Amino acid sequence: MRKAVAVPLSMLGLGLAGLGYASVVERNWFRLRRFDVPVLERGQRPVRILHLSDLHLTPRRTMLINWVRSLGPLKPDLVVNTGDSIAHPDAVPSLLHALEPLLSRPGLFVYGSNDLYAPKPKNPARYLWRTSKNDRRQHVPSLPWEELGAGMAAEGWLDMNNTTARIKVGDLDVAVAGIHDSHINRDRYDLVAGPAPADADLRLGVMHSPEPRNMTRFAADGYQFLLAGHTHGGQLCIPFYGALVTNCGIDRARVKGLSRHDNAWLHVSAGLGTSPYAPARFACFPEASLLTLVPRR
């Protein structure tokens, strides 16, 4: 018969304190990160992109809603939403309310898996040894993704799921290609494949999950700046070490922030939310990013 192992009260208290910090404090400690991206030609005027991702919004997340609304005075030249915006069937009005100060700006969006399929209870520790790709057994979407897209499109934001577009951003003529979420096998890169328009001032690639196979194709086709989300920056990280997992094919070193992929710049957002069934962040603050595109030196 095995003997019970006693857990010191000090360790139990430390664990509870850490859980409380991760689920109450850090999860709601929103940050705006700023990066300069040297991607423009000399003489071109800088433009600013506000990158939002992974809100996983439920109607009662008032602090998150109000924080997103506070970004309106930034007046970015372009807003890019890389998906997983909602996590509840009634969340679309709350999301549009959060975005309302930004919807008058030019915008683009793609979907993530959680814009279609509602999250389900699961063992959160499983995330540490496997990705959630193909976990869902749902075949019919359970979230109002069409209402979500229609709400943003009605304000002029462009639906970039498996399509291309041209858009004016500041003084720039921007060519954009976007794909649906590879995490649920809805990406169709072949629909946007081919050399990016050479006459565009900037060529932008947008996706939810930063899968290297798609990023490599974007870069090979001449897209200069790629934006993605999905990773949550690892969500539960170790201080001075970083993310334990990425939940996709990208390496841990590029789980969030600005980096390179082949000849393109890449920005991966750590996102603003969490699944309602894993409402905690540790050493990985929720974030949006203001990306200032500047001329190359």
Side-chain angles (χ1 to χ4, degrees), residues 33-39 51 224-228 250 253-261 264-270 287 289-294:
R33 302 184 77 194
R34 298 173 185 263
F35 296 94
D36 288 346
V37 188
V39 71
H51 185 186
Q224 303 156 286
F225 189 28
L226 313 179
L227 288 92
I250 200 171
R254 296 185 297 162
V255 70
K256 66 178 180 180
L258 190 66
S259 63
R260 299 283 289 182
H261 187 84
W265 286 98
L266 167 69
H267 181 260
V268 178
S269 173
E287 67 179 38
S289 296
L290 189 64
L291 309 168
T292 301
L293 310 190
V294 299

PDB file of all heavy atoms in Angstrom, residues 33-39 51 224-228 250 253-261 264-270 287 289-294:
ATOM      1  N   ARG A  33       2.587  46.625 -27.240  1.00  0.00           N
ATOM      2  CA  ARG A  33       3.997  46.525 -27.641  1.00  0.00           C
ATOM      3  C   ARG A  33       4.194  47.343 -28.912  1.00  0.00           C
ATOM      4  O   ARG A  33       3.287  47.472 -29.735  1.00  0.00           O
ATOM      5  CB  ARG A  33       4.393  45.077 -27.876  1.00  0.00           C
ATOM      6  CG  ARG A  33       4.194  44.184 -26.669  1.00  0.00           C
ATOM      7  CD  ARG A  33       4.690  42.779 -26.931  1.00  0.00           C
ATOM      8  NE  ARG A  33       6.134  42.712 -26.846  1.00  0.00           N
ATOM      9  CZ  ARG A  33       6.854  41.673 -27.288  1.00  0.00           C
ATOM     10  NH1 ARG A  33       6.270  40.654 -27.882  1.00  0.00           N
ATOM     11  NH2 ARG A  33       8.161  41.662 -27.161  1.00  0.00           N
ATOM     12  N   ARG A  34       5.369  47.891 -29.076  1.00  0.00           N
ATOM     13  CA  ARG A  34       5.685  48.735 -30.224  1.00  0.00           C
ATOM     14  C   ARG A  34       6.944  48.212 -30.905  1.00  0.00           C
ATOM     15  O   ARG A  34       7.939  47.900 -30.239  1.00  0.00           O
ATOM     16  CB  ARG A  34       5.896  50.194 -29.786  1.00  0.00           C
ATOM     17  CG  ARG A  34       4.652  50.826 -29.151  1.00  0.00           C
ATOM     18  CD  ARG A  34       4.957  52.202 -28.589  1.00  0.00           C
ATOM     19  NE  ARG A  34       3.820  52.775 -27.881  1.00  0.00           N
ATOM     20  CZ  ARG A  34       2.949  53.632 -28.420  1.00  0.00           C
ATOM     21  NH1 ARG A  34       3.114  54.024 -29.686  1.00  0.00           N
ATOM     22  NH2 ARG A  34       1.944  54.101 -27.711  1.00  0.00           N
ATOM     23  N   PHE A  35       6.875  48.116 -32.237  1.00  0.00           N
ATOM     24  CA  PHE A  35       8.010  47.682 -33.028  1.00  0.00           C
ATOM     25  C   PHE A  35       8.141  48.583 -34.249  1.00  0.00           C
ATOM     26  O   PHE A  35       7.133  48.991 -34.836  1.00  0.00           O
ATOM     27  CB  PHE A  35       7.829  46.240 -33.526  1.00  0.00           C
ATOM     28  CG  PHE A  35       7.767  45.199 -32.454  1.00  0.00           C
ATOM     29  CD1 PHE A  35       6.553  44.776 -31.938  1.00  0.00           C
ATOM     30  CD2 PHE A  35       8.928  44.618 -31.970  1.00  0.00           C
ATOM     31  CE1 PHE A  35       6.479  43.801 -30.961  1.00  0.00           C
ATOM     32  CE2 PHE A  35       8.872  43.638 -30.983  1.00  0.00           C
ATOM     33  CZ  PHE A  35       7.652  43.230 -30.481  1.00  0.00           C
ATOM     34  N   ASP A  36       9.373  48.868 -34.643  1.00  0.00           N
ATOM     35  CA  ASP A  36       9.663  49.467 -35.942  1.00  0.00           C
ATOM     36  C   ASP A  36      10.061  48.345 -36.895  1.00  0.00           C
ATOM     37  O   ASP A  36      10.900  47.494 -36.550  1.00  0.00           O
ATOM     38  CB  ASP A  36      10.802  50.480 -35.849  1.00  0.00           C
ATOM     39  CG  ASP A  36      10.395  51.763 -35.133  1.00  0.00           C
ATOM     40  OD1 ASP A  36       9.177  51.981 -34.954  1.00  0.00           O
ATOM     41  OD2 ASP A  36      11.289  52.538 -34.763  1.00  0.00           O
ATOM     42  N   VAL A  37       9.466  48.349 -38.091  1.00  0.00           N
ATOM     43  CA  VAL A  37       9.717  47.282 -39.064  1.00  0.00           C
ATOM     44  C   VAL A  37      10.313  47.915 -40.323  1.00  0.00           C
ATOM     45  O   VAL A  37       9.613  48.598 -41.075  1.00  0.00           O
ATOM     46  CB  VAL A  37       8.420  46.531 -39.421  1.00  0.00           C
ATOM     47  CG1 VAL A  37       8.743  45.315 -40.283  1.00  0.00           C
ATOM     48  CG2 VAL A  37       7.664  46.118 -38.169  1.00  0.00           C
ATOM     49  N   PRO A  38      11.600  47.715 -40.597  1.00  0.00           N
ATOM     50  CA  PRO A  38      12.257  48.369 -41.733  1.00  0.00           C
ATOM     51  C   PRO A  38      11.969  47.644 -43.051  1.00  0.00           C
ATOM     52  O   PRO A  38      12.810  46.922 -43.586  1.00  0.00           O
ATOM     53  CB  PRO A  38      13.737  48.309 -41.357  1.00  0.00           C
ATOM     54  CG  PRO A  38      13.855  47.062 -40.530  1.00  0.00           C
ATOM     55  CD  PRO A  38      12.558  46.946 -39.765  1.00  0.00           C
ATOM     56  N   VAL A  39      10.781  47.886 -43.574  1.00  0.00           N
ATOM     57  CA  VAL A  39      10.318  47.126 -44.737  1.00  0.00           C
ATOM     58  C   VAL A  39      10.004  48.011 -45.937  1.00  0.00           C
ATOM     59  O   VAL A  39       9.799  47.510 -47.047  1.00  0.00           O
ATOM     60  CB  VAL A  39       9.088  46.278 -44.330  1.00  0.00           C
ATOM     61  CG1 VAL A  39       7.876  47.159 -44.105  1.00  0.00           C
ATOM     62  CG2 VAL A  39       8.801  45.179 -45.322  1.00  0.00           C
ATOM     63  N   HIS A  51      -1.939  45.568 -34.668  1.00  0.00           N
ATOM     64  CA  HIS A  51      -2.150  44.120 -34.820  1.00  0.00           C
ATOM     65  C   HIS A  51      -2.870  43.595 -33.578  1.00  0.00           C
ATOM     66  O   HIS A  51      -2.342  43.643 -32.463  1.00  0.00           O
ATOM     67  CB  HIS A  51      -0.808  43.413 -35.010  1.00  0.00           C
ATOM     68  CG  HIS A  51      -0.920  41.949 -35.281  1.00  0.00           C
ATOM     69  ND1 HIS A  51       0.173  41.119 -35.370  1.00  0.00           N
ATOM     70  CD2 HIS A  51      -2.004  41.154 -35.512  1.00  0.00           C
ATOM     71  CE1 HIS A  51      -0.227  39.888 -35.613  1.00  0.00           C
ATOM     72  NE2 HIS A  51      -1.546  39.879 -35.692  1.00  0.00           N
ATOM     73  N   GLN A 224       6.388  40.757 -48.168  1.00  0.00           N
ATOM     74  CA  GLN A 224       7.501  41.283 -47.379  1.00  0.00           C
ATOM     75  C   GLN A 224       7.270  41.263 -45.881  1.00  0.00           C
ATOM     76  O   GLN A 224       8.219  41.254 -45.103  1.00  0.00           O
ATOM     77  CB  GLN A 224       7.767  42.736 -47.798  1.00  0.00           C
ATOM     78  CG  GLN A 224       8.069  42.926 -49.266  1.00  0.00           C
ATOM     79  CD  GLN A 224       7.727  44.348 -49.688  1.00  0.00           C
ATOM     80  OE1 GLN A 224       6.564  44.705 -49.819  1.00  0.00           O
ATOM     81  NE2 GLN A 224       8.749  45.153 -49.899  1.00  0.00           N
ATOM     82  N   PHE A 225       6.005  41.291 -45.458  1.00  0.00           N
ATOM     83  CA  PHE A 225       5.690  41.366 -44.041  1.00  0.00           C
ATOM     84  C   PHE A 225       4.516  40.441 -43.770  1.00  0.00           C
ATOM     85  O   PHE A 225       3.472  40.539 -44.417  1.00  0.00           O
ATOM     86  CB  PHE A 225       5.357  42.800 -43.644  1.00  0.00           C
ATOM     87  CG  PHE A 225       5.212  43.044 -42.174  1.00  0.00           C
ATOM     88  CD1 PHE A 225       5.887  42.266 -41.241  1.00  0.00           C
ATOM     89  CD2 PHE A 225       4.400  44.076 -41.689  1.00  0.00           C
ATOM     90  CE1 PHE A 225       5.756  42.496 -39.873  1.00  0.00           C
ATOM     91  CE2 PHE A 225       4.269  44.319 -40.328  1.00  0.00           C
ATOM     92  CZ  PHE A 225       4.950  43.521 -39.427  1.00  0.00           C
ATOM     93  N   LEU A 226       4.697  39.520 -42.805  1.00  0.00           N
ATOM     94  CA  LEU A 226       3.706  38.499 -42.487  1.00  0.00           C
ATOM     95  C   LEU A 226       3.212  38.722 -41.060  1.00  0.00           C
ATOM     96  O   LEU A 226       4.004  38.989 -40.151  1.00  0.00           O
ATOM     97  CB  LEU A 226       4.315  37.100 -42.610  1.00  0.00           C
ATOM     98  CG  LEU A 226       5.140  36.816 -43.870  1.00  0.00           C
ATOM     99  CD1 LEU A 226       5.698  35.392 -43.823  1.00  0.00           C
ATOM    100  CD2 LEU A 226       4.319  37.035 -45.128  1.00  0.00           C
ATOM    101  N   LEU A 227       1.899  38.587 -40.867  1.00  0.00           N
ATOM    102  CA  LEU A 227       1.306  38.751 -39.543  1.00  0.00           C
ATOM    103  C   LEU A 227       0.499  37.515 -39.178  1.00  0.00           C
ATOM    104  O   LEU A 227      -0.240  36.981 -40.015  1.00  0.00           O
ATOM    105  CB  LEU A 227       0.403  39.990 -39.498  1.00  0.00           C
ATOM    106  CG  LEU A 227       1.117  41.334 -39.515  1.00  0.00           C
ATOM    107  CD1 LEU A 227       1.269  41.820 -40.956  1.00  0.00           C
ATOM    108  CD2 LEU A 227       0.354  42.383 -38.719  1.00  0.00           C
ATOM    109  N   ALA A 228       0.645  37.075 -37.923  1.00  0.00           N
ATOM    110  CA  ALA A 228      -0.053  35.886 -37.440  1.00  0.00           C
ATOM    111  C   ALA A 228      -0.295  36.017 -35.939  1.00  0.00           C
ATOM    112  O   ALA A 228       0.230  36.918 -35.275  1.00  0.00           O
ATOM    113  CB  ALA A 228       0.768  34.625 -37.734  1.00  0.00           C
ATOM    114  N   ILE A 250       5.773  26.520 -35.712  1.00  0.00           N
ATOM    115  CA  ILE A 250       6.843  27.499 -35.538  1.00  0.00           C
ATOM    116  C   ILE A 250       7.686  27.143 -34.320  1.00  0.00           C
ATOM    117  O   ILE A 250       7.205  26.519 -33.364  1.00  0.00           O
ATOM    118  CB  ILE A 250       6.249  28.921 -35.418  1.00  0.00           C
ATOM    119  CG1 ILE A 250       7.327  29.971 -35.725  1.00  0.00           C
ATOM    120  CG2 ILE A 250       5.634  29.157 -34.052  1.00  0.00           C
ATOM    121  CD1 ILE A 250       6.776  31.373 -35.848  1.00  0.00           C
ATOM    122  N   ALA A 253      11.550  30.075 -30.375  1.00  0.00           N
ATOM    123  CA  ALA A 253      12.228  31.370 -30.395  1.00  0.00           C
ATOM    124  C   ALA A 253      11.399  32.447 -31.080  1.00  0.00           C
ATOM    125  O   ALA A 253      11.590  33.637 -30.825  1.00  0.00           O
ATOM    126  CB  ALA A 253      13.587  31.239 -31.092  1.00  0.00           C
ATOM    127  N   ARG A 254      10.458  32.038 -31.946  1.00  0.00           N
ATOM    128  CA  ARG A 254       9.647  33.014 -32.683  1.00  0.00           C
ATOM    129  C   ARG A 254       8.174  32.930 -32.296  1.00  0.00           C
ATOM    130  O   ARG A 254       7.308  33.302 -33.079  1.00  0.00           O
ATOM    131  CB  ARG A 254       9.819  32.787 -34.190  1.00  0.00           C
ATOM    132  CG  ARG A 254      11.240  33.020 -34.688  1.00  0.00           C
ATOM    133  CD  ARG A 254      11.332  32.898 -36.191  1.00  0.00           C
ATOM    134  NE  ARG A 254      11.006  31.561 -36.653  1.00  0.00           N
ATOM    135  CZ  ARG A 254      10.676  31.256 -37.914  1.00  0.00           C
ATOM    136  NH1 ARG A 254      10.625  32.202 -38.827  1.00  0.00           N
ATOM    137  NH2 ARG A 254      10.413  30.005 -38.253  1.00  0.00           N
ATOM    138  N   VAL A 255       7.906  32.488 -31.070  1.00  0.00           N
ATOM    139  CA  VAL A 255       6.527  32.281 -30.637  1.00  0.00           C
ATOM    140  C   VAL A 255       5.762  33.591 -30.498  1.00  0.00           C
ATOM    141  O   VAL A 255       4.539  33.611 -30.533  1.00  0.00           O
ATOM    142  CB  VAL A 255       6.510  31.485 -29.311  1.00  0.00           C
ATOM    143  CG1 VAL A 255       7.029  32.324 -28.153  1.00  0.00           C
ATOM    144  CG2 VAL A 255       5.137  30.917 -29.016  1.00  0.00           C
ATOM    145  N   LYS A 256       6.478  34.707 -30.357  1.00  0.00           N
ATOM    146  CA  LYS A 256       5.835  36.019 -30.342  1.00  0.00           C
ATOM    147  C   LYS A 256       6.865  37.067 -30.742  1.00  0.00           C
ATOM    148  O   LYS A 256       8.079  36.827 -30.702  1.00  0.00           O
ATOM    149  CB  LYS A 256       5.259  36.344 -28.965  1.00  0.00           C
ATOM    150  CG  LYS A 256       6.304  36.517 -27.876  1.00  0.00           C
ATOM    151  CD  LYS A 256       5.647  36.898 -26.556  1.00  0.00           C
ATOM    152  CE  LYS A 256       6.706  37.063 -25.456  1.00  0.00           C
ATOM    153  NZ  LYS A 256       6.091  37.445 -24.163  1.00  0.00           N
ATOM    154  N   GLY A 257       6.355  38.228 -31.159  1.00  0.00           N
ATOM    155  CA  GLY A 257       7.238  39.335 -31.480  1.00  0.00           C
ATOM    156  C   GLY A 257       7.681  39.355 -32.924  1.00  0.00           C
ATOM    157  O   GLY A 257       7.131  38.664 -33.792  1.00  0.00           O
ATOM    158  N   LEU A 258       8.690  40.171 -33.178  1.00  0.00           N
ATOM    159  CA  LEU A 258       9.183  40.431 -34.534  1.00  0.00           C
ATOM    160  C   LEU A 258      10.402  39.573 -34.815  1.00  0.00           C
ATOM    161  O   LEU A 258      11.323  39.488 -34.003  1.00  0.00           O
ATOM    162  CB  LEU A 258       9.535  41.913 -34.664  1.00  0.00           C
ATOM    163  CG  LEU A 258       9.855  42.434 -36.066  1.00  0.00           C
ATOM    164  CD1 LEU A 258       8.634  42.374 -36.977  1.00  0.00           C
ATOM    165  CD2 LEU A 258      10.373  43.875 -35.977  1.00  0.00           C
ATOM    166  N   SER A 259      10.406  38.925 -35.983  1.00  0.00           N
ATOM    167  CA  SER A 259      11.532  38.084 -36.382  1.00  0.00           C
ATOM    168  C   SER A 259      11.569  38.028 -37.908  1.00  0.00           C
ATOM    169  O   SER A 259      10.851  38.754 -38.588  1.00  0.00           O
ATOM    170  CB  SER A 259      11.394  36.673 -35.780  1.00  0.00           C
ATOM    171  OG  SER A 259      10.229  36.023 -36.277  1.00  0.00           O
ATOM    172  N   ARG A 260      12.394  37.150 -38.429  1.00  0.00           N
ATOM    173  CA  ARG A 260      12.492  36.968 -39.878  1.00  0.00           C
ATOM    174  C   ARG A 260      12.030  35.563 -40.246  1.00  0.00           C
ATOM    175  O   ARG A 260      12.177  34.611 -39.482  1.00  0.00           O
ATOM    176  CB  ARG A 260      13.939  37.147 -40.352  1.00  0.00           C
ATOM    177  CG  ARG A 260      14.527  38.512 -40.081  1.00  0.00           C
ATOM    178  CD  ARG A 260      14.017  39.556 -41.057  1.00  0.00           C
ATOM    179  NE  ARG A 260      14.559  39.370 -42.386  1.00  0.00           N
ATOM    180  CZ  ARG A 260      14.306  40.175 -43.426  1.00  0.00           C
ATOM    181  NH1 ARG A 260      13.503  41.216 -43.269  1.00  0.00           N
ATOM    182  NH2 ARG A 260      14.837  39.956 -44.609  1.00  0.00           N
ATOM    183  N   HIS A 261      11.458  35.453 -41.444  1.00  0.00           N
ATOM    184  CA  HIS A 261      11.198  34.143 -42.036  1.00  0.00           C
ATOM    185  C   HIS A 261      11.634  34.224 -43.485  1.00  0.00           C
ATOM    186  O   HIS A 261      11.028  34.933 -44.299  1.00  0.00           O
ATOM    187  CB  HIS A 261       9.733  33.739 -41.952  1.00  0.00           C
ATOM    188  CG  HIS A 261       9.506  32.333 -42.418  1.00  0.00           C
ATOM    189  ND1 HIS A 261       9.679  31.239 -41.595  1.00  0.00           N
ATOM    190  CD2 HIS A 261       9.172  31.834 -43.641  1.00  0.00           C
ATOM    191  CE1 HIS A 261       9.449  30.143 -42.275  1.00  0.00           C
ATOM    192  NE2 HIS A 261       9.141  30.470 -43.515  1.00  0.00           N
ATOM    193  N   ALA A 264      11.391  37.554 -45.525  1.00  0.00           N
ATOM    194  CA  ALA A 264      10.263  38.375 -45.063  1.00  0.00           C
ATOM    195  C   ALA A 264      10.399  38.672 -43.573  1.00  0.00           C
ATOM    196  O   ALA A 264      11.011  37.908 -42.816  1.00  0.00           O
ATOM    197  CB  ALA A 264       8.935  37.664 -45.326  1.00  0.00           C
ATOM    198  N   TRP A 265       9.798  39.785 -43.162  1.00  0.00           N
ATOM    199  CA  TRP A 265       9.610  40.055 -41.743  1.00  0.00           C
ATOM    200  C   TRP A 265       8.346  39.336 -41.271  1.00  0.00           C
ATOM    201  O   TRP A 265       7.387  39.187 -42.026  1.00  0.00           O
ATOM    202  CB  TRP A 265       9.474  41.556 -41.484  1.00  0.00           C
ATOM    203  CG  TRP A 265      10.776  42.297 -41.596  1.00  0.00           C
ATOM    204  CD1 TRP A 265      11.240  42.994 -42.672  1.00  0.00           C
ATOM    205  CD2 TRP A 265      11.793  42.395 -40.595  1.00  0.00           C
ATOM    206  NE1 TRP A 265      12.474  43.532 -42.415  1.00  0.00           N
ATOM    207  CE2 TRP A 265      12.840  43.181 -41.134  1.00  0.00           C
ATOM    208  CE3 TRP A 265      11.911  41.922 -39.288  1.00  0.00           C
ATOM    209  CZ2 TRP A 265      14.001  43.482 -40.416  1.00  0.00           C
ATOM    210  CZ3 TRP A 265      13.060  42.215 -38.568  1.00  0.00           C
ATOM    211  CH2 TRP A 265      14.093  42.998 -39.129  1.00  0.00           C
ATOM    212  N   LEU A 266       8.369  38.906 -40.022  1.00  0.00           N
ATOM    213  CA  LEU A 266       7.251  38.180 -39.422  1.00  0.00           C
ATOM    214  C   LEU A 266       6.932  38.792 -38.071  1.00  0.00           C
ATOM    215  O   LEU A 266       7.835  39.010 -37.246  1.00  0.00           O
ATOM    216  CB  LEU A 266       7.615  36.703 -39.250  1.00  0.00           C
ATOM    217  CG  LEU A 266       6.687  35.857 -38.364  1.00  0.00           C
ATOM    218  CD1 LEU A 266       5.326  35.663 -39.037  1.00  0.00           C
ATOM    219  CD2 LEU A 266       7.344  34.506 -38.051  1.00  0.00           C
ATOM    220  N   HIS A 267       5.649  39.064 -37.832  1.00  0.00           N
ATOM    221  CA  HIS A 267       5.223  39.442 -36.481  1.00  0.00           C
ATOM    222  C   HIS A 267       4.154  38.470 -36.015  1.00  0.00           C
ATOM    223  O   HIS A 267       3.134  38.291 -36.662  1.00  0.00           O
ATOM    224  CB  HIS A 267       4.655  40.858 -36.432  1.00  0.00           C
ATOM    225  CG  HIS A 267       4.243  41.247 -35.039  1.00  0.00           C
ATOM    226  ND1 HIS A 267       2.931  41.207 -34.602  1.00  0.00           N
ATOM    227  CD2 HIS A 267       4.984  41.614 -33.953  1.00  0.00           C
ATOM    228  CE1 HIS A 267       2.882  41.564 -33.331  1.00  0.00           C
ATOM    229  NE2 HIS A 267       4.101  41.808 -32.907  1.00  0.00           N
ATOM    230  N   VAL A 268       4.425  37.822 -34.879  1.00  0.00           N
ATOM    231  CA  VAL A 268       3.471  36.918 -34.241  1.00  0.00           C
ATOM    232  C   VAL A 268       2.985  37.581 -32.959  1.00  0.00           C
ATOM    233  O   VAL A 268       3.791  37.912 -32.079  1.00  0.00           O
ATOM    234  CB  VAL A 268       4.104  35.549 -33.928  1.00  0.00           C
ATOM    235  CG1 VAL A 268       3.092  34.647 -33.230  1.00  0.00           C
ATOM    236  CG2 VAL A 268       4.611  34.891 -35.203  1.00  0.00           C
ATOM    237  N   SER A 269       1.679  37.786 -32.858  1.00  0.00           N
ATOM    238  CA  SER A 269       1.100  38.387 -31.666  1.00  0.00           C
ATOM    239  C   SER A 269       0.867  37.331 -30.602  1.00  0.00           C
ATOM    240  O   SER A 269       0.359  36.243 -30.890  1.00  0.00           O
ATOM    241  CB  SER A 269      -0.234  39.070 -32.012  1.00  0.00           C
ATOM    242  OG  SER A 269      -0.875  39.517 -30.837  1.00  0.00           O
ATOM    243  N   ALA A 270       1.213  37.669 -29.356  1.00  0.00           N
ATOM    244  CA  ALA A 270       0.895  36.788 -28.228  1.00  0.00           C
ATOM    245  C   ALA A 270      -0.580  36.866 -27.856  1.00  0.00           C
ATOM    246  O   ALA A 270      -1.045  36.077 -27.037  1.00  0.00           O
ATOM    247  CB  ALA A 270       1.751  37.137 -27.016  1.00  0.00           C
ATOM    248  N   GLU A 287      -1.384  41.034 -25.074  1.00  0.00           N
ATOM    249  CA  GLU A 287      -0.829  42.172 -25.797  1.00  0.00           C
ATOM    250  C   GLU A 287      -1.530  42.429 -27.125  1.00  0.00           C
ATOM    251  O   GLU A 287      -2.120  41.548 -27.741  1.00  0.00           O
ATOM    252  CB  GLU A 287       0.643  41.925 -26.102  1.00  0.00           C
ATOM    253  CG  GLU A 287       0.867  40.783 -27.098  1.00  0.00           C
ATOM    254  CD  GLU A 287       2.337  40.551 -27.434  1.00  0.00           C
ATOM    255  OE1 GLU A 287       3.179  40.662 -26.522  1.00  0.00           O
ATOM    256  OE2 GLU A 287       2.636  40.235 -28.611  1.00  0.00           O
ATOM    257  N   SER A 289      -0.140  44.968 -30.618  1.00  0.00           N
ATOM    258  CA  SER A 289       1.120  45.542 -31.088  1.00  0.00           C
ATOM    259  C   SER A 289       0.868  46.671 -32.068  1.00  0.00           C
ATOM    260  O   SER A 289       0.009  46.548 -32.958  1.00  0.00           O
ATOM    261  CB  SER A 289       1.997  44.468 -31.760  1.00  0.00           C
ATOM    262  OG  SER A 289       2.373  43.481 -30.841  1.00  0.00           O
ATOM    263  N   LEU A 290       1.623  47.750 -31.897  1.00  0.00           N
ATOM    264  CA  LEU A 290       1.618  48.851 -32.845  1.00  0.00           C
ATOM    265  C   LEU A 290       2.911  48.761 -33.648  1.00  0.00           C
ATOM    266  O   LEU A 290       4.009  48.940 -33.114  1.00  0.00           O
ATOM    267  CB  LEU A 290       1.519  50.200 -32.127  1.00  0.00           C
ATOM    268  CG  LEU A 290       1.296  51.401 -33.024  1.00  0.00           C
ATOM    269  CD1 LEU A 290      -0.064  51.309 -33.745  1.00  0.00           C
ATOM    270  CD2 LEU A 290       1.389  52.699 -32.229  1.00  0.00           C
ATOM    271  N   LEU A 291       2.756  48.453 -34.923  1.00  0.00           N
ATOM    272  CA  LEU A 291       3.899  48.168 -35.805  1.00  0.00           C
ATOM    273  C   LEU A 291       4.097  49.360 -36.734  1.00  0.00           C
ATOM    274  O   LEU A 291       3.234  49.637 -37.589  1.00  0.00           O
ATOM    275  CB  LEU A 291       3.624  46.906 -36.609  1.00  0.00           C
ATOM    276  CG  LEU A 291       3.173  45.692 -35.784  1.00  0.00           C
ATOM    277  CD1 LEU A 291       2.641  44.590 -36.683  1.00  0.00           C
ATOM    278  CD2 LEU A 291       4.315  45.177 -34.916  1.00  0.00           C
ATOM    279  N   THR A 292       5.190  50.067 -36.574  1.00  0.00           N
ATOM    280  CA  THR A 292       5.483  51.219 -37.431  1.00  0.00           C
ATOM    281  C   THR A 292       6.406  50.768 -38.553  1.00  0.00           C
ATOM    282  O   THR A 292       7.541  50.359 -38.315  1.00  0.00           O
ATOM    283  CB  THR A 292       6.149  52.348 -36.626  1.00  0.00           C
ATOM    284  OG1 THR A 292       5.289  52.750 -35.556  1.00  0.00           O
ATOM    285  CG2 THR A 292       6.420  53.559 -37.515  1.00  0.00           C
ATOM    286  N   LEU A 293       5.877  50.808 -39.768  1.00  0.00           N
ATOM    287  CA  LEU A 293       6.664  50.413 -40.934  1.00  0.00           C
ATOM    288  C   LEU A 293       7.487  51.605 -41.377  1.00  0.00           C
ATOM    289  O   LEU A 293       6.958  52.694 -41.631  1.00  0.00           O
ATOM    290  CB  LEU A 293       5.752  49.949 -42.066  1.00  0.00           C
ATOM    291  CG  LEU A 293       4.665  48.905 -41.696  1.00  0.00           C
ATOM    292  CD1 LEU A 293       4.008  48.370 -42.956  1.00  0.00           C
ATOM    293  CD2 LEU A 293       5.251  47.785 -40.844  1.00  0.00           C
ATOM    294  N   VAL A 294       8.801  51.411 -41.458  1.00  0.00           N
ATOM    295  CA  VAL A 294       9.738  52.483 -41.770  1.00  0.00           C
ATOM    296  C   VAL A 294      10.616  52.056 -42.936  1.00  0.00           C
ATOM    297  O   VAL A 294      10.728  50.867 -43.257  1.00  0.00           O
ATOM    298  CB  VAL A 294      10.601  52.842 -40.546  1.00  0.00           C
ATOM    299  CG1 VAL A 294       9.727  53.323 -39.390  1.00  0.00           C
ATOM    300  CG2 VAL A 294      11.424  51.645 -40.101  1.00  0.00           C
TER     301      VAL A 294
END
